[in-house]
Amino acid sequence: MNYSAGFTRSPGHFTDRITADGRDGWPVEAGRYRLVVSRACPWASRSLVVRRLLGLEDALSLAVADPVQDEGGWRFTLDPDGRDPVLGIRYLSEAYRARERDHAGGVSVPAVVDVPSGRLVTNDYHRITLDLATEWRALHRDGAPDLYPEALRDEIDERMESVYRDINNGVYRAGFAERQESYDAAYGRLFARLDQVSEHLSTRRYLVGDTITEADVRLFTTLVRFDAVYHGHFKCNRNKLTEDRVLWAYARDLFQTPGFGDTVDFDHIKRHYYQVHEDINPTRIVPRGPDPRGWLTPHHREELGGRPFGDGTPPPPPPAGEVARPLQEG
């Protein structure tokens, strides 16, 4: 990546799809695949939220990588003996090399791995969650929401594209800029889009329609990290999330909705950004704050109407082994 010319996010190199008809050679099948994530990563967090909302925990097992990579990349040091108990590997890169022996590119999360062969299937972070919502329908829980309703897809896609370009990726463009003009441009686009989204959400509970959609999931994973890392670490400091009345209430509404906040681990988030990005934070000191308890304060967004799950129901509590770190300061 040439940061001096402006931050560019690489697309997923492995873009096979897991589909109901198996047209790419990977049919939807309960228990066959393992989702590898880091709770620190906003792109991986999308898949964590969607998997929970749709009730796919039993159908798609979960591996959580250490938030702090070493020279070998994403590692499974959170598991006994430093190995993923299902895949039997120490590093996610081993699944990449099982798919492509001479793979020399990046190793990213989220990644879906075929358990029988140990081979990576896909790291296409844009497509994984959309396929979970559409191609995996036969394995959804009873009462699962429709996160990508066909009648609203054009509007959802439009919202997601602008949010991705200016907000999801915009914070990275600002944070990794190596020239003042690159930073200034990213900073300007970021806050112009946040202002536009804030105005849009001032009279409606969700981004598109009156229920949660994929668009909300994608915005949430950036907003939940904003004050903890992007405001200071990435110099996105015109204002904090907590200082925007609408966006702060919207983010709290989602955080308190089952399937969102119960996937968030602020410890993992802060340790990853502040300890891995040594070029930005050479001391690797992890800040103690901000106090996360504000995420549980009343938001009053229900006054705008809307039904989080439409005609469906909230997901049950997460499995015991997947409970994220409780909210605590420092």
Side-chain angles (χ1 to χ4, degrees):
M1 296 178 185
N2 183 0
Y3 296 144
S4 63
F7 178 81
T8 301
R9 179 165 302 281
S10 300
H13 177 64
F14 300 96
T15 57
D16 288 0
R17 293 175 60 189
I18 301 170
T19 58
D21 62 7
R23 56 186 175 272
D24 283 359
W26 306 106
V28 171
E29 183 179 331
R32 176 171 174 176
Y33 306 100
R34 190 153 175 84
L35 175 65
V36 182
V37 304
S38 165
R39 292 191 187 276
C41 171
W43 319 100
S45 290
R46 298 175 177 181
S47 58
L48 274 172
V49 173
V50 169
R51 176 176 171 271
R52 280 273 295 120
L53 292 174
L54 301 179
L56 291 170
E57 290 97 332
D58 291 337
L60 178 63
S61 65
L62 181 68
V64 179
D66 192 303
V68 180
Q69 303 128 293
D70 64 13
E71 63 278 0
W74 295 110
R75 52 190 180 153
F76 296 108
T77 51
L78 302 179
D79 295 302
D81 301 321
R83 289 186 183 274
D84 178 78
V86 173
L87 299 173
I89 58 178
R90 293 187 180 277
Y91 288 91
L92 177 57
S93 59
E94 296 174 55
Y96 276 67
R97 290 195 299 272
R99 169 70 183 271
E100 185 177 88
R101 178 179 296 182
D102 299 324
H103 178 69
V107 174
S108 62
V109 289
V112 181
V113 178
D114 177 50
V115 173
S117 68
R119 298 170 62 205
L120 176 75
V121 177
T122 177
N123 67 347
D124 187 348
Y125 56 92
H126 277 312
R127 192 71 235 179
I128 287 172
T129 49
L130 295 179
D131 282 344
L132 291 179
T134 56
E135 299 291 334
W136 290 64
R137 285 185 186 276
L139 298 177
H140 290 183
R141 66 178 176 87
D142 291 339
D146 186 353
L147 297 177
Y148 197 47
E150 194 163 354
L152 297 176
R153 287 181 187 177
D154 287 347
E155 186 179 355
I156 292 171
D157 289 345
E158 182 179 356
R159 282 281 164 195
M160 291 194 302
E161 172 56 31
S162 61
V163 165
Y164 169 78
R165 182 184 63 246
D166 298 330
I167 299 176
N168 299 148
N169 207 37
V171 293
Y172 282 85
R173 286 182 177 273
F176 286 116
E178 292 187 350
R179 293 179 179 173
Q180 188 69 48
E181 58 268 29
S182 299
Y183 165 76
D184 289 346
Y187 178 99
R189 288 194 299 268
L190 167 66
F191 283 102
R193 184 64 62 189
L194 286 171
D195 287 345
Q196 184 272 326
V197 172
S198 179
E199 182 178 1
H200 176 75
L201 288 168
S202 65
T203 57
R204 54 194 302 160
R205 192 170 180 185
Y206 303 110
L207 280 173
V208 181
D210 64 356
T211 64
I212 292 165
T213 68
E214 173 82 12
D216 298 294
V217 174
R218 296 190 182 193
L219 179 56
F220 171 79
T221 59
T222 294
L223 294 184
V224 79
R225 289 162 172 77
F226 201 90
D227 288 4
V229 290
Y230 301 144
H231 178 269
H233 185 58
F234 278 178
K235 306 180 184 70
C236 299
N237 61 354
R238 191 195 71 178
N239 58 269
K240 296 177 181 177
L241 176 68
T242 55
E243 294 167 347
D244 185 301
R245 180 184 61 81
V246 173
L247 290 181
W248 175 223
Y250 166 79
R252 297 200 319 277
D253 186 6
L254 292 178
F255 187 92
Q256 294 170 32
T257 299
F260 284 85
D262 51 29
T263 70
V264 173
D265 190 315
F266 286 111
D267 173 68
H268 280 209
I269 289 169
K270 292 194 296 183
R271 283 199 289 127
H272 171 76
Y273 282 91
Y274 287 102
Q275 293 188 332
V276 172
H277 300 159
E278 293 185 66
D279 51 341
I280 299 176
N281 185 41
T283 66
R284 302 182 79 237
I285 292 173
V286 179
R288 298 289 294 179
D291 187 341
R293 290 174 293 184
W295 284 96
L296 298 182
T297 58
H299 53 77
H300 305 295
R301 293 282 293 178
E302 66 278 359
E303 296 171 8
L304 293 173
R307 300 170 299 153
F309 304 102
D311 294 329
T313 57
E322 296 185 11
V323 176
R325 185 183 177 91
L327 286 182
Q328 57 184 26
E329 190 172 7

